[in-house]
Amino acid sequence: MPKSTIMILAAGRGLRMAELTKSIPKPLIKFHDKPLIVWHLEKIAAAKIKNVVINLSYLGNQIQNYLGNGSQWDLNIQYSEENPVLETAGGIKKAIPLIKSDPFIVINSDIFTNYDYSNFHKCDLKSKEANLFFTNNPSHNKSGDYHIDSNGNLSKSGLNMKTFCGIGVYKKNFFNDVSTNIPSKLSGLFDEKIKNGLIQGQMIDDLWLDIGTPERLLSPIVK
């Protein structure tokens, strides 16, 4: 089935942004004169993926008011509201009833990348439940997150440690064991699924930035 739905994770408090997120949610902070989340929506529209689900919590009404139903990008945006915030895995679990495709794509709202989102359609999970995207380690994450071998197999340690991009393609059953409406992080779920050989990894060569601090808002977008 085509990967026709992208979920954008946008419920976090954005504490690393300090004063910048006291009155505005992080996804609406401008990066090179455009809100972070709008960069994603434009790339989604260019990839001809129509359905978008955005989870909301902290100042979520501002995001919903700004983006509306997505028609200005020729998108169909639906919102999954959380109170309290359910973390990454918990937020995805709550949103699954709104997600129209299986598998589907999940992207952190606070990253920027030149990766072509139309390439998501080429991702073949085969017997796996998820495909995670990785990049070379930036200065703020020099030790990386997971080892990835030449066949895309992942482990928690090794010589070839790479950084998780905050981008993944998932089958819905990846989240079967996540409790509904209970805060749950993806990292613990990743560890369990990697032990069982249910996740594959894929490197991207395109520019990737974690826009997690005020200083990184000044990062250039040319690679």
Side-chain angles (χ1 to χ4, degrees), residues 3-221:
K3 303 167 190 69
S4 63
T5 300
I6 287 186
M7 181 175 181
I8 301 177
L9 299 177
R13 172 66 175 81
L15 290 173
R16 291 182 299 164
M17 284 292 186
E19 296 293 319
L20 292 178
T21 51
K22 277 200 168 180
S23 60
I24 184 173
K26 183 162 62 170
L28 292 185
I29 290 176
K30 288 190 175 180
F31 176 63
H32 290 268
D33 298 321
K34 191 180 298 182
L36 281 164
I37 199 166
V38 171
W39 285 104
H40 293 297
L41 296 178
E42 290 180 348
K43 291 172 65 64
I44 292 167
K48 302 192 182 308
I49 299 171
K50 296 294 185 183
N51 298 309
V52 178
V53 174
I54 301 173
N55 69 330
L56 304 175
S57 187
Y58 177 70
L59 300 179
N61 61 312
Q62 290 189 31
I63 297 173
Q64 189 164 359
N65 291 340
Y66 190 94
L67 303 180
N69 63 7
S71 58
Q72 71 182 97
W73 299 279
D74 195 25
L75 298 172
N76 171 35
I77 297 179
Q78 293 182 282
Y79 298 95
S80 177
E81 298 185 27
E82 302 172 21
N83 184 22
V85 67
L86 296 172
E87 302 287 358
T88 44
I92 296 168
K93 175 75 171 188
K94 185 178 190 298
I96 280 180
L98 299 176
I99 293 173
K100 300 181 184 301
S101 65
D102 192 6
F104 62 99
I105 304 139
V106 177
I107 298 176
N108 290 357
S109 63
D110 60 353
I111 64 167
F112 175 88
T113 180
N114 285 337
Y115 183 74
D116 184 350
Y117 289 1
S118 64
N119 288 329
F120 288 132
H121 292 299
K122 303 174 186 176
C123 182
D124 186 358
L125 294 180
K126 298 179 181 176
S127 61
K128 306 293 186 181
E129 292 183 3
N131 184 97
L132 306 184
F133 291 79
F134 291 84
T135 189
N136 291 320
N137 299 331
S139 59
H140 55 83
N141 192 42
K142 291 182 179 179
S143 60
D145 298 312
Y146 294 97
H147 168 83
I148 178 170
D149 70 17
S150 58
N151 295 315
N153 299 308
L154 301 179
S155 57
K156 290 190 67 175
S157 62
L159 296 176
N160 195 30
M161 300 292 287
K162 300 297 180 183
T163 292
F164 173 51
C165 289
I167 303 172
V169 177
Y170 303 90
K171 292 179 180 176
K172 288 184 176 182
N173 65 355
F174 187 85
F175 300 93
N176 280 356
D177 294 332
V178 177
S179 298
T180 303
N181 292 322
I182 300 294
S184 177
K185 295 183 178 182
L186 272 173
S187 55
L189 190 56
F190 286 167
D191 293 346
E192 175 189 342
K193 298 287 186 176
I194 287 170
K195 283 181 185 177
N196 294 321
L198 295 173
I199 303 179
Q200 63 193 22
Q202 175 182 338
M203 293 291 295
I204 63 171
D205 296 324
D206 306 81
L207 174 68
W208 177 87
L209 301 168
D210 173 4
I211 313 298
T213 65
E215 294 75 20
R216 292 182 213 153
L217 287 170
L218 304 176
S219 302
I221 60 174

